[in-house]
Amino acid sequence: MGHPLKIIFAGTPDFAAIHLQGILAQAEHEVIAVYSQPDRPAGRGKKLKPSAVKQVALDNNIPVYQPLNFKETADQQTLQALNADLMVVVAYGLLLPKVILDAPRLGCINVHASLLPRWRGAAPIQRAIEAGDSESGVIIMQMDEGLDTGDMLLEARCDISAEDTGGSLHDKLADIGVPALNSALQQIAAQTISATQQDHEQTCYAPKISKRELAIDWQQAASVIQRKIRAFNPFPIAYTSLNGERIKIWQTSLSDSSGQAGQIIHADKKSIIVACGEGSLKLDVIQLPGGKALEIPAVMNSKAELFTTGTCFDQIEIT
């Protein structure tokens, strides 16, 4: 291995925090500073809460910087003055200008949660499940000015099962991403890493999830709806509506029954089956307004009158 690297780490959510912890646990390089998004209001009291990455930095006595963006010259100069060898970026949430990309001696690398060039953008984990992909992975990439367009340095792959949710795939990718990142850092320090250009003709994008996408359209095929439900679990959660009340759908199973789309075609103490445009879905875990996510037997124990056979969920106008 070459000389230890002086690293700036930039990231915000749990996925990024896990990678920061992975670098610190390896203890081969020095994280001299952490950049993260400004604290955001959270919880019922809307108190400012530090990001997961900031909390890891505070726990390890690493200086934290939280610029709103890098448009201010002072913020650019602060980062340049750190004289870092490398900047590691994981789900930071900001597009970095060229002045920042060029500041560290060896530039900036990114840990991206997809097999680039597939699923460039903000929500690669959810979009892979929603699209029915059978495989995902992590790419360590040399950053350039584009959106996830830089040369690829190292990849790690994993399968997507028919049961995977956004949460479980997140965890799979974190598990393979940390050793991939540490391997890349070791190779960068030793000057043995090589880069491969992306095939830009194979590009597809993973846009940020919009609120309107969360509403279930029962006219769609059951398989399409179920992939959406899995993709958006545990956040931001797909939903339907009954008598004007929003019901979050956490988990479903495919069923062969058929009927009018959006109608409950079977309901008893243990199960609820809803017809879709093609096929049907058995509801397994749902969340009523003001309540917790519960399995269907627990829901039917107290709210069976809401879910009788023949009842139709509201038609939600998706605009």
Side-chain angles (χ1 to χ4, degrees):
M1 176 178 169
H3 294 293
L5 300 170
K6 292 198 305 179
I7 293 172
I8 297 170
F9 187 94
T12 301
D14 288 339
F15 187 77
I18 292 168
H19 285 79
L20 174 56
Q21 289 171 323
I23 297 174
L24 296 173
Q26 199 77 358
E28 292 181 359
H29 307 285
E30 182 186 4
V31 179
I32 60 173
V34 160
Y35 277 74
S36 194
Q37 289 277 305
D39 297 358
R40 307 293 189 197
R44 293 184 178 180
K46 296 298 181 182
K47 294 182 179 180
L48 290 179
K49 182 179 179 181
S51 72
V53 165
K54 179 180 178 179
Q55 191 60 58
V56 172
L58 294 175
D59 292 343
N60 289 274
N61 299 312
I62 302 170
V64 179
Y65 301 87
Q66 296 177 275
L68 188 60
N69 51 51
F70 284 103
K71 294 181 180 179
E72 299 294 331
T73 302
D75 291 325
Q76 298 171 8
Q77 292 174 340
T78 296
L79 189 144
Q80 290 169 330
L82 293 170
N83 293 317
D85 294 312
L86 185 72
M87 185 167 176
V88 175
V89 182
V90 187
Y92 182 24
L94 286 178
L95 276 176
L96 302 181
K98 190 173 188 302
V99 65
I100 297 301
L101 295 172
D102 293 342
R105 180 175 64 86
L106 299 171
C108 302
I109 64 170
N110 175 245
V111 180
H112 187 75
S114 81
L115 296 174
L116 293 169
R118 187 166 179 78
W119 303 127
R120 292 174 177 172
I125 296 174
Q126 293 86 354
R127 298 305 182 189
I129 293 176
E130 189 180 17
D133 291 2
S134 61
E135 186 180 36
S136 186
V138 168
I139 296 289
I140 313 298
M141 172 189 66
Q142 188 76 43
M143 296 180 69
D144 60 19
E145 291 183 83
L147 178 62
D148 302 324
T149 55
D151 290 348
M152 301 179 293
L153 304 175
L154 192 148
E155 74 169 24
R157 293 173 175 260
C158 69
D159 292 334
I160 301 176
S161 76
E163 290 75 38
D164 270 323
T165 64
S168 66
L169 183 55
H170 167 283
D171 293 347
K172 281 185 180 181
L173 294 172
D175 285 345
I176 63 174
V178 169
L181 173 58
N182 281 325
S183 177
L185 292 176
Q186 188 176 33
Q187 293 177 56
I188 289 170
Q191 300 181 20
T192 59
I193 202 159
S194 59
T196 303
Q197 189 176 33
Q198 294 186 40
D199 181 356
H200 300 296
E201 292 184 0
Q202 301 300 316
T203 298
C204 72
Y205 287 93
K208 184 178 179 180
I209 299 165
S210 65
K211 289 183 179 180
R212 66 178 179 81
E213 291 182 83
L214 304 183
I216 293 172
D217 179 3
W218 294 106
Q219 298 292 334
Q220 293 182 317
S223 58
V224 173
I225 297 171
Q226 192 202 39
R227 290 200 303 267
K228 173 186 281 194
I229 291 168
R230 287 168 43 219
F232 298 165
N233 175 353
F235 182 83
I237 300 295
Y239 72 90
T240 188
S241 178
L242 182 61
N243 300 323
E245 296 286 341
R246 181 174 296 195
I247 298 172
K248 294 181 179 180
I249 311 296
W250 284 76
Q251 186 177 323
T252 62
S253 305
L254 294 173
S255 173
D256 295 330
S257 306
S258 61
Q260 177 187 336
Q263 186 178 63
I264 296 174
I265 54 177
H266 175 83
D268 60 27
K269 293 181 179 180
K270 295 184 178 180
S271 64
I272 300 170
I273 299 176
V274 185
C276 305
E278 179 182 319
S280 57
L281 284 178
K282 176 177 172 287
L283 305 186
D284 295 323
V285 179
I286 66 175
Q287 183 177 0
L288 301 181
K292 298 178 180 180
L294 297 171
E295 294 183 355
I296 292 306
V299 174
M300 296 300 279
N301 188 46
S302 59
K303 298 291 183 180
E305 70 279 2
L306 296 177
F307 302 102
T308 57
T309 300
T311 298
C312 289
F313 287 105
D314 303 337
Q315 184 174 350
I316 302 172
E317 186 175 345
I318 302 174
T319 56

